[in-house]
Amino acid sequence: MIVGIAADHGGFELKQIIKDYLGELNHEVVDFGAFELDKLDDYPDFIIPLSEAVAKGTAERGIAICGSGVGAAIVSNKIAGVRSSLITDHFSAHQGVEDDNMNLICLGGRITGFAVAKELVKAFLEAKYSGGEKYQRRLDKIEALEKR
Ligand code: RB5
Protein backbone atom coordinates (compact mmCIF):
# COMPACT_ATOMS: atom_id res chain seq x y z
CA MET A 1 0.00 0.00 0.00
CA ILE A 2 1.19 3.56 -0.65
CA VAL A 3 1.09 5.30 2.72
CA GLY A 4 1.65 9.04 3.17
CA ILE A 5 3.03 10.38 6.42
CA ALA A 6 3.56 13.88 7.82
CA ALA A 7 4.41 15.45 11.15
CA ASP A 8 5.36 18.74 12.75
CA HIS A 9 7.98 19.05 15.48
CA GLY A 10 5.58 17.52 18.03
CA GLY A 11 5.40 14.32 15.99
CA PHE A 12 8.87 14.38 14.47
CA GLU A 13 10.35 11.50 16.48
CA LEU A 14 7.26 9.30 16.18
CA LYS A 15 7.16 9.90 12.41
CA GLN A 16 10.60 8.35 12.00
CA ILE A 17 9.64 5.35 14.15
CA ILE A 18 6.45 4.81 12.13
CA LYS A 19 8.27 5.30 8.82
CA ASP A 20 10.74 2.56 9.74
CA TYR A 21 7.87 0.35 10.84
CA LEU A 22 5.99 0.89 7.55
CA GLY A 23 9.14 -0.25 5.75
CA GLU A 24 9.21 -3.41 7.89
CA LEU A 25 5.58 -4.03 6.87
CA ASN A 26 6.59 -3.61 3.19
CA HIS A 27 4.50 -0.51 2.56
CA GLU A 28 5.65 2.22 0.19
CA VAL A 29 6.04 5.41 2.21
CA VAL A 30 5.63 8.97 0.90
CA ASP A 31 7.02 11.44 3.43
CA PHE A 32 5.54 14.95 3.40
CA GLY A 33 7.90 16.25 6.08
CA ALA A 34 8.94 17.78 8.35
CA PHE A 35 12.42 16.77 7.28
CA GLU A 36 14.21 18.49 10.16
CA LEU A 37 13.28 19.24 13.73
CA ASP A 38 12.19 22.88 13.89
CA LYS A 39 10.34 23.79 17.05
CA LEU A 40 8.70 26.70 15.28
CA ASP A 41 7.23 24.79 12.34
CA ASP A 42 3.45 24.66 11.73
CA TYR A 43 1.59 21.37 11.30
CA PRO A 44 -0.69 22.60 8.46
CA ASP A 45 2.39 23.06 6.24
CA PHE A 46 2.94 19.28 6.23
CA ILE A 47 -0.49 17.87 6.89
CA ILE A 48 -2.33 19.79 4.14
CA PRO A 49 -0.14 18.31 1.34
CA LEU A 50 -0.49 14.85 2.91
CA SER A 51 -4.27 15.24 3.11
CA GLU A 52 -4.47 16.41 -0.50
CA ALA A 53 -2.52 13.32 -1.59
CA VAL A 54 -4.94 11.07 0.30
CA ALA A 55 -7.95 12.91 -1.17
CA LYS A 56 -6.51 12.50 -4.69
CA GLY A 57 -5.60 8.87 -4.06
CA THR A 58 -1.88 9.27 -4.75
CA ALA A 59 -1.51 8.04 -1.17
CA GLU A 60 -3.97 5.23 -0.35
CA ARG A 61 -3.89 5.98 3.38
CA GLY A 62 -2.38 8.75 5.49
CA ILE A 63 -0.76 9.10 8.89
CA ALA A 64 -0.65 12.63 10.36
CA ILE A 65 1.20 13.32 13.58
CA CYS A 66 1.47 16.42 15.73
CA GLY A 67 2.05 16.78 19.46
CA SER A 68 -1.48 15.90 20.54
CA GLY A 69 -2.94 14.76 17.23
CA VAL A 70 -5.69 17.38 17.62
CA GLY A 71 -4.37 19.94 15.14
CA ALA A 72 -3.67 17.14 12.66
CA ALA A 73 -7.30 15.98 12.92
CA ILE A 74 -8.69 19.49 12.57
CA VAL A 75 -6.72 20.42 9.47
CA SER A 76 -6.92 17.08 7.66
CA ASN A 77 -10.70 16.98 7.89
CA LYS A 78 -10.88 20.35 6.10
CA ILE A 79 -9.77 18.64 2.89
CA ALA A 80 -12.74 17.21 0.98
CA GLY A 81 -12.40 13.46 0.62
CA VAL A 82 -10.37 13.01 3.78
CA ARG A 83 -12.00 11.06 6.61
CA SER A 84 -9.67 11.27 9.57
CA SER A 85 -9.67 11.05 13.32
CA LEU A 86 -7.34 11.26 16.28
CA ILE A 87 -6.88 7.63 17.29
CA THR A 88 -5.65 6.43 20.67
CA ASP A 89 -7.22 2.96 20.94
CA HIS A 90 -7.02 -0.24 18.93
CA PHE A 91 -10.78 -0.65 18.43
CA SER A 92 -11.20 2.76 16.81
CA ALA A 93 -8.10 2.23 14.65
CA HIS A 94 -9.84 -0.56 12.71
CA GLN A 95 -13.51 0.21 13.29
CA GLY A 96 -13.00 3.72 11.92
CA VAL A 97 -12.02 2.12 8.62
CA GLU A 98 -14.60 -0.67 8.67
CA ASP A 99 -17.59 1.58 9.38
CA ASP A 100 -16.48 5.10 8.43
CA ASN A 101 -13.98 4.42 5.65
CA MET A 102 -11.36 6.43 7.57
CA ASN A 103 -8.48 7.05 5.19
CA LEU A 104 -6.18 9.06 7.44
CA ILE A 105 -5.19 8.41 11.05
CA CYS A 106 -3.99 11.15 13.39
CA LEU A 107 -1.60 10.38 16.23
CA GLY A 108 -0.25 12.41 19.12
CA GLY A 109 3.52 12.19 19.24
CA ARG A 110 3.51 13.46 22.82
CA ILE A 111 0.54 11.32 23.87
CA THR A 112 0.84 7.84 22.43
CA GLY A 113 3.87 5.66 23.11
CA PHE A 114 5.85 4.22 20.22
CA ALA A 115 4.77 0.60 20.69
CA VAL A 116 1.08 1.48 20.95
CA ALA A 117 1.35 3.83 17.95
CA LYS A 118 2.75 0.98 15.85
CA GLU A 119 -0.14 -1.28 16.83
CA LEU A 120 -2.65 1.45 15.97
CA VAL A 121 -1.05 1.95 12.56
CA LYS A 122 -1.05 -1.80 11.86
CA ALA A 123 -4.72 -2.14 12.81
CA PHE A 124 -5.58 0.91 10.66
CA LEU A 125 -3.74 -0.36 7.59
CA GLU A 126 -5.04 -3.91 7.83
CA ALA A 127 -8.66 -2.81 8.16
CA LYS A 128 -11.00 -2.62 5.17
CA TYR A 129 -14.18 -0.62 4.68
CA SER A 130 -17.20 -2.92 4.97
CA GLY A 131 -19.29 -0.96 2.45
CA GLY A 132 -22.42 -1.83 4.39
CA GLU A 133 -25.58 -0.01 3.26
CA LYS A 134 -26.07 1.97 6.46
CA TYR A 135 -22.40 3.00 6.54
CA GLN A 136 -22.43 4.12 2.94
CA ARG A 137 -25.65 6.07 3.52
CA ARG A 138 -23.90 8.03 6.28
CA LEU A 139 -20.82 8.66 4.18
CA ASP A 140 -22.99 9.85 1.29
CA LYS A 141 -24.43 12.48 3.65
CA ILE A 142 -20.93 13.65 4.52
CA GLU A 143 -19.99 13.78 0.85
CA ALA A 144 -23.10 15.88 0.17
CA LEU A 145 -22.00 18.23 2.96
CA GLU A 146 -18.60 18.62 1.33
CA LYS A 147 -20.33 19.74 -1.88
CA ARG A 148 -22.51 22.42 -0.26
C1 RB5 B 1 3.02 22.11 18.68
O1 RB5 B 1 3.70 22.56 19.75
C2 RB5 B 1 1.67 21.53 19.03
O2 RB5 B 1 0.80 22.54 19.35
C3 RB5 B 1 1.18 20.72 17.85
O3 RB5 B 1 2.12 19.73 17.55
C4 RB5 B 1 -0.12 19.97 18.03
O4 RB5 B 1 -0.15 19.31 19.26
C5 RB5 B 1 -1.34 20.68 17.73
O5 RB5 B 1 -2.45 20.14 17.84
Side-chain angles (χ1 to χ4, degrees), residues 50-87:
L50 164 69
S51 303
E52 288 172 334
V54 171
K56 271 191 298 191
T58 52
E60 293 165 77
R61 299 267 176 99
I63 300 168
I65 314 171
C66 63
S68 63
V70 172
I74 291 171
V75 69
S76 55
N77 273 309
K78 299 284 181 196
I79 305 298
V82 169
R83 296 171 296 276
S84 75
S85 185
L86 169 56
I87 296 295

Side-chain angles (χ1 to χ4, degrees), residues 22 29 37 65 67 69 82 85-86 94 99 123 125 129:
L22 291 170
V29 185
L37 182 59
I65 314 171
V82 169
S85 185
L86 169 56
H94 63 85
D99 292 9
L125 294 177
Y129 175 49

Side-chain angles (χ1 to χ4, degrees), residues 8-11 39 41 43 65-72 110:
D8 72 352
H9 57 280
K39 289 188 176 161
D41 68 12
Y43 60 83
I65 314 171
C66 63
S68 63
V70 172
R110 294 172 177 155

Side-chain angles (χ1 to χ4, degrees), residues 102-115:
M102 176 169 68
N103 52 13
L104 191 149
I105 190 175
C106 302
L107 299 171
R110 294 172 177 155
I111 306 300
T112 302
F114 299 150

Side-chain angles (χ1 to χ4, degrees), residues 116-137:
V116 170
K118 285 190 203 175
E119 292 196 2
L120 298 178
V121 164
K122 188 164 192 285
F124 166 62
L125 294 177
E126 285 178 355
K128 290 185 177 48
Y129 175 49
S130 70
E133 194 275 329
K134 65 183 176 186
Y135 302 119
Q136 191 55 49
R137 184 178 69 233

